[in-house]
Amino acid sequence: MNWVIIEGQPMLSAIAIAILTVAVLYFARTAVHQALYRVSRLIASVLRVNARALARVIENLRSRNREVLLEMGKGQMERRLNRDFHRVNEIVSNDLSNYPELQQSISRLVTKLEEDYHKSAETSPPSPDWIEAIEAIVNLKEAQKGNPVIVKVLNDLYSSLENQQKKTLESYRVSVSTRHKLLHSMMPNWRKLNNAVERVGGTMKNLIIQAEDIDKNMAQYREIHAGTDKAERMLRVSAMNDFVKSTFIMACLIGGAFLNFHLIALPMSEMVGGGARIGTFTIAEVSGMMIVVLEMVIGMLLMEVLHITRLFPAFGTLDDRKRRILIWTFLSFIFVFASIESGLAFMRDQIASDNAALKTLLVSGELVTAEASGNISQFIPQTAQMLLGFVLPFVLMFAAVPFESFVESSRVILGTLLIQLLHFFIILMRLLGNIVRYSVDILLAVYDIVVSLPLWVEDKLSNRVASEKPTKVTGLEEAQ
């Protein structure tokens, strides 16, 4: 064996090597202790400095994330306030622009009602002038004595009185009928007046509701502009809600895009050929994927031109004429893609039927045509596939709306997650620094255990020397 230094005596060799090792470790103890101690403290210091640097990065990132969150909240509130003011402007311009005419109409209606009311006032019928004459004749003495001339006059007066009473009653009935007609003619004016007042009241109610919304949004905007903790918490919760909702909607739209891709992948192989490949995908699959992506991109640009989303600021500087041209252009593109996909979906059903007939022919040797399998059973899936192929491009063009919300909210969410990740690295670095430090301390303790015998001898000699020095000093003092 190579480690045996005394031939034929492995035990003595082992003891000799152990003694030499302990001696070397004993004499190198101070240097080893200093080296390991300094290395451990160096590693701990480096980890601690890195942890402090990450803490400063976290503070900068938190400040930056706060600024982004507040700016995003300001942009949202400004758009919301702009929408509210636009609604108020529409209410004022559409409903209250004709307020002077409405006021004049109400004044005319009120004047007309007053005139009709005065015309419909009930007046008592005039009393005949000859009633006083009758009373005077009745009080005559000749009338009381039954004078025939007087009686004849009274009879004539009676008949005249009865005729006059009939005429008066007829005149009263005519006046009452006229009054009723006037009152009945007032009803349309009352309705017009009521509708005008209700229309003004409804407009004022809408203005009050919009004003309350503006006040609430302005209060939130002031808090966001002031950068309060309440506003930050509110925006953070709103960003989390937007992230969850936009993620869910985008997942649904991705499912729709996947369905759209499978509708056109098979017939695309007949158009571009299915043999060539790009990596692990065929040319037909890549072509179908590109059509779906182009539909989503065109829909995104259409949403930008319509000012529904704001991913590309350049579209916000276009004038109305260019915007209208781009809107109709993008809509035409989407309509063309929808028509193409509808035709490809129809081809897909035909290709699937031909493949099924070919497999049946190869297996059983009998050719089954479409007429034999039934026209109604094929008409329904063909129609459904064509409708899906036509509708899905119009659905996918709205993918830009949740995508914008996802991009805006993900900035805040990713910033928060990055801060938590850096916190984890800080804890890990501090833990590693403590592990290195205490591990080296344990290693030094084990090192001292290995050289414990020489240390014990050194300690005994040190104690003996220390005990002899005071004795010599005392003897010298007595000699003096």
Side-chain angles (χ1 to χ4, degrees):
M1 291 181 287
N2 295 328
W3 57 273
V4 177
I5 58 176
I6 301 175
E7 295 182 359
Q9 299 294 329
M11 184 63 67
L12 292 177
S13 298
I15 293 172
I17 291 173
I19 292 172
L20 290 174
T21 303
V22 171
V24 171
L25 292 175
Y26 172 73
F27 289 110
R29 176 177 176 273
T30 303
V32 172
H33 271 237
Q34 291 179 356
L36 291 177
Y37 180 81
R38 291 175 181 175
V39 169
S40 65
R41 295 309 183 265
L42 176 63
I43 295 174
S45 299
V46 170
L47 292 174
R48 186 167 58 252
V49 170
N50 289 332
R52 291 177 181 175
L54 286 180
R56 288 193 294 270
V57 171
I58 288 175
E59 291 298 326
N60 294 331
L61 185 60
R62 184 179 286 114
S63 176
R64 178 61 180 168
N65 199 18
R66 178 184 174 87
E67 292 177 0
V68 171
L69 185 64
L70 293 177
E71 289 298 327
M72 185 177 67
K74 287 180 184 178
Q76 292 177 354
M77 294 306 301
E78 287 174 358
R79 290 197 293 269
R80 192 176 298 175
L81 288 171
N82 188 16
R83 181 193 62 192
D84 293 337
F85 283 119
H86 184 69
R87 289 178 178 175
V88 171
N89 186 24
E90 287 182 351
I91 292 174
V92 173
S93 60
N94 296 332
D95 297 335
L96 297 182
S97 60
N98 57 350
Y99 183 76
E101 298 178 359
L102 185 62
Q103 185 179 8
Q104 293 177 2
S105 176
I106 292 175
S107 299
R108 287 195 301 269
L109 290 173
V110 171
T111 304
K112 180 68 173 174
L113 289 173
E114 289 179 354
E115 293 176 355
D116 292 341
Y117 174 74
H118 289 301
K119 289 179 181 179
S120 63
E122 183 176 1
T123 58
S124 58
S127 59
D129 296 335
W130 39 263
I131 293 179
E132 295 178 358
I134 293 174
E135 290 179 355
I137 293 172
V138 169
N139 293 326
L140 292 175
K141 294 181 179 179
E142 290 80 359
Q144 295 176 359
K145 295 178 180 180
N147 192 341
V149 176
I150 300 294
V151 171
K152 184 176 181 303
V153 172
L154 290 176
N155 291 329
D156 294 338
L157 288 175
Y158 175 76
S159 60
S160 299
L161 177 62
E162 188 176 3
N163 292 331
Q164 186 67 28
Q165 184 179 4
K166 291 181 180 178
K167 292 180 181 179
T168 303
L169 182 60
E170 185 67 26
S171 176
Y172 180 74
R173 288 175 178 175
V174 170
S175 64
V176 170
S177 177
T178 303
R179 240 183 354 262
H180 286 172
K181 290 180 180 179
L182 289 173
L183 291 174
H184 183 72
S185 64
M186 291 170 62
M187 292 180 62
N189 295 327
W190 279 112
R191 293 193 183 97
K192 291 180 181 178
L193 180 61
N194 187 26
N195 293 331
V197 173
E198 286 182 354
R199 187 163 61 251
V200 174
T203 303
M204 293 302 175
K205 185 177 180 180
N206 292 331
L207 280 177
I208 292 172
I209 293 173
Q210 292 298 325
E212 291 176 353
D213 293 338
I214 290 174
D215 291 338
K216 182 174 65 176
N217 293 331
M218 283 298 298
Q220 294 179 0
Y221 183 77
R222 292 191 189 98
E223 290 184 356
I224 294 173
H225 192 270
T228 60
D229 295 335
K230 179 182 177 181
E232 184 179 1
R233 289 193 300 270
M234 178 186 67
L235 292 175
R236 202 174 296 279
V237 172
S238 178
M240 179 63 71
N241 293 333
D242 293 340
F243 181 79
V244 174
K245 290 185 289 187
S246 60
T247 302
F248 175 75
I249 296 174
M250 286 186 63
C252 296
L253 290 174
I254 289 172
F258 185 75
L259 175 61
N260 195 8
F261 167 73
H262 273 277
L263 279 175
I264 63 176
L266 182 60
M268 285 297 295
S269 61
E270 298 293 330
M271 297 177 59
V272 299
R277 287 183 173 273
I278 300 177
T280 58
F281 299 99
T282 62
I283 294 293
E285 292 175 345
V286 174
S287 301
M289 194 179 303
M290 287 301 300
I291 289 177
V292 176
V293 172
L294 284 175
E295 291 170 354
M296 297 180 71
V297 171
I298 293 174
M300 186 179 297
L301 295 178
L302 179 60
M303 294 296 107
E304 285 291 323
V305 175
L306 291 173
H307 291 172
I308 297 176
T309 58
R310 290 173 175 82
L311 292 172
F312 305 102
F315 287 99
T317 60
L318 297 175
D319 55 10
D320 294 337
R321 178 175 174 275
K322 293 180 180 179
R323 285 180 59 246
R324 285 194 295 268
I325 294 173
L326 289 176
I327 288 171
W328 286 109
T329 302
F330 291 144
L331 282 175
S332 301
F333 283 154
I334 293 177
F335 180 79
V336 170
F337 277 116
S339 301
I340 292 173
E341 287 196 8
S342 181
L344 291 176
F346 178 76
M347 288 178 58
R348 181 181 185 276
D349 189 76
Q350 294 293 327
I351 295 171
S353 300
D354 294 339
N355 291 335
L358 180 60
K359 291 180 181 179
T360 305
L361 178 61
L362 294 176
V363 173
S364 62
E366 296 180 358
L367 180 62
V368 180
T369 61
E371 290 78 9
S373 60
N375 293 326
I376 296 178
S377 61
Q378 284 190 342
F379 176 75
I380 295 176
Q382 283 180 355
T383 306
Q385 290 177 11
M386 291 178 66
L387 287 175
L388 281 175
F390 188 81
V391 171
L392 283 176
F394 291 96
V395 175
L396 293 178
M397 74 178 184
F398 293 101
V401 179
F403 180 74
E404 181 189 26
S405 179
F406 177 80
V407 171
E408 291 182 352
S409 59
S410 61
R411 295 171 62 186
V412 180
I413 302 301
L414 291 178
T416 304
L417 292 178
L418 184 57
I419 289 174
Q420 299 301 324
L421 183 62
L422 292 178
H423 273 299
F424 173 76
F425 280 123
I426 289 175
I427 295 173
L428 184 62
M429 287 180 180
R430 290 176 179 174
L431 180 62
L432 289 176
N434 291 328
I435 289 174
V436 170
R437 182 177 177 181
Y438 289 109
S439 297
V440 171
D441 292 340
I442 294 171
L443 182 61
L444 292 178
V446 173
Y447 187 96
D448 290 340
I449 291 173
V450 173
V451 295
S452 59
L453 183 60
L455 290 176
W456 179 76
V457 173
E458 180 184 3
D459 184 63
K460 290 296 183 182
L461 292 176
S462 299
N463 292 332
R464 183 176 180 182
V465 171
S467 62
E468 288 178 354
K469 283 183 179 180
T471 304
K472 293 181 179 180
V473 173
T474 304
L476 289 174
E477 290 177 354
E478 291 178 353
Q480 291 177 356

